[in-house]
């Protein structure tokens, strides 16, 4: 089982460049999430999608946009990358929002120079 | 303010030396508490969900318990392969969507 798949695994961007992080899940989950993980800050929620067709801001949404393309796919876009967006990004999915466990992808390590 | 605090930040154990990790939370209404394991360069891997005080879950050498203000992850007779960062996360009843609030994690190193 693939679970949650993220692409790319590594990326280096120059300040001001744009890019999209891709995420797909094959568990037929309704809810999907994007987190960033920084040393000393733990995992913080950027955006989430409770179900296909809906998206909502999390704790740190500034500088990001998301698209829930279909039930399987949830992408994260950086329109104009900044060094402060250097981080490890994780996509996750869960059966539904509320009280069910989330399953995470392997992460994308992004460096903005 | 809702907070999740894990202690200690790091733990060095000898193989076979049992210990406990703490996750304390100050939230107004807990819907669920989750434990994850994270290996270097990988995403968090789900371990347990606890919903109510007094609940316990076990998996191999790991046992998670929950009280009204904290959770413990007990590692019994650990092996080197138990070395990882252990993350605690909570969902509050009032949380919009499924906002998991994570603690900072405890890095566990088990030496042979």
């Amino acid at each position: 089982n693939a679970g949650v798949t993220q692409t790319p695994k590594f990326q280096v961007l120059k300040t001001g460049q744009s890019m999209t992080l891709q995420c797909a899940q094959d568990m037929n989950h309704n809810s999907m999430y994007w987190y960033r993980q920084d040393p000393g800050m733990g995992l913080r929620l950027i955006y989430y999608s409770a179900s296909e067709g809906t998206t909502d801001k999390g704790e740190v949404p500034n500088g990001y946009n998301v698209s829930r393309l279909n039930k399987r796919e949830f992408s994260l876009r950086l329109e104009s990358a900044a060094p402060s967006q250097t981080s490890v990004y994780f996509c996750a999915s869960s059966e539904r929002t509320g009280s069910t466990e989330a399953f995470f992808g392997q992460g994308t390590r992004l460096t903005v120079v | 303010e809702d907070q999740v605090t894990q202690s200690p930040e790091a733990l060095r154990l000898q193989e076979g030396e049992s210990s406990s990790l703490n996750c304390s939370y100050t939230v107004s209404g807990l819907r669920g508490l989750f434990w994850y394991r994270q290996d270097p360069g990988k995403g968090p891997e789900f371990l347990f969900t606890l919903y109510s005080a007094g609940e316990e879950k076990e998996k191999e050498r790991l046992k998670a318990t929950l009280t009204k203000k904290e959770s413990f992850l007990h590692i019994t007779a650990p092996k080197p392969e138990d070395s990882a960062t252990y993350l605690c996360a909570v969902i509050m009843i009032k949380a919009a969507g499924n906002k998991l609030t994570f603690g900072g994690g405890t890095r566990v190193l088990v030496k042979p």
Side-chain angles (χ1 to χ4, degrees), chain B residues 14-77:
Chain B
Q14 288 296 129
E15 184 171 3
E17 179 188 0
S18 301
S19 188
S20 295
L21 284 56
N22 178 263
C23 171
S24 63
Y25 55 91
T26 53
V27 300
S28 50
L30 179 72
R31 179 175 286 178
L33 184 142
F34 303 86
W35 281 99
Y36 287 85
R37 169 193 170 123
Q38 187 174 22
D39 293 301
K42 297 194 174 182
E45 176 188 346
F46 170 74
L47 292 173
F48 304 109
T49 308
L50 301 166
Y51 292 108
S52 56
E55 190 174 357
E56 299 182 351
K57 294 275 180 73
E58 283 190 73
K59 181 180 180 179
E60 295 181 354
R61 294 176 293 282
L62 300 177
K63 179 180 178 180
T65 62
L66 181 66
T67 71
K68 288 187 176 180
K69 291 296 181 186
E70 60 191 349
S71 176
F72 292 94
L73 184 65
H74 307 279
I75 309 178
T76 302

Side-chain angles (χ1 to χ4, degrees), chain A residues 2-7 9 22-25 27 33-35 37 43 88-93 102-108, chain B residues 38 41-45:
Chain A
V4 179
T5 303
Q6 293 181 234
T7 56
K9 287 186 170 50
Q22 307 287 353
C23 174
Q25 53 91 9
M27 296 174 281
Y33 318 86
W34 277 105
Y35 287 87
Q37 187 173 38
L43 279 153
V88 181
Y89 291 86
F90 288 101
C91 177
S93 71
F103 295 88
F104 286 77
Q106 294 297 291
T108 296
Chain B
Q38 187 174 22
K42 297 194 174 182
E45 176 188 346

Side-chain angles (χ1 to χ4, degrees), chain A residues 31 33 35 37 41-45 48 50 58-59 90 94 96-107 109, chain B residues 31-32 34 36 38 41-46 48-49 51 85 87 91-92 95-104:
Chain A
S31 303
Y33 318 86
Y35 287 87
Q37 187 173 38
M41 301 292 290
L43 279 153
R44 293 179 293 169
L45 183 65
Y48 68 95
E59 187 180 354
F90 288 101
S94 65
R96 62 184 185 277
T97 59
S99 60
T100 60
E101 59 269 23
F103 295 88
F104 286 77
Q106 294 297 291
R109 185 172 296 276
Chain B
R31 179 175 286 178
F34 303 86
Y36 287 85
Q38 187 174 22
K42 297 194 174 182
E45 176 188 346
F46 170 74
F48 304 109
T49 308
Y51 292 108
T85 296
L87 301 170
I91 295 179
M92 285 78 78
N98 194 31
K99 181 181 179 298
L100 275 168
T101 299
F102 279 86

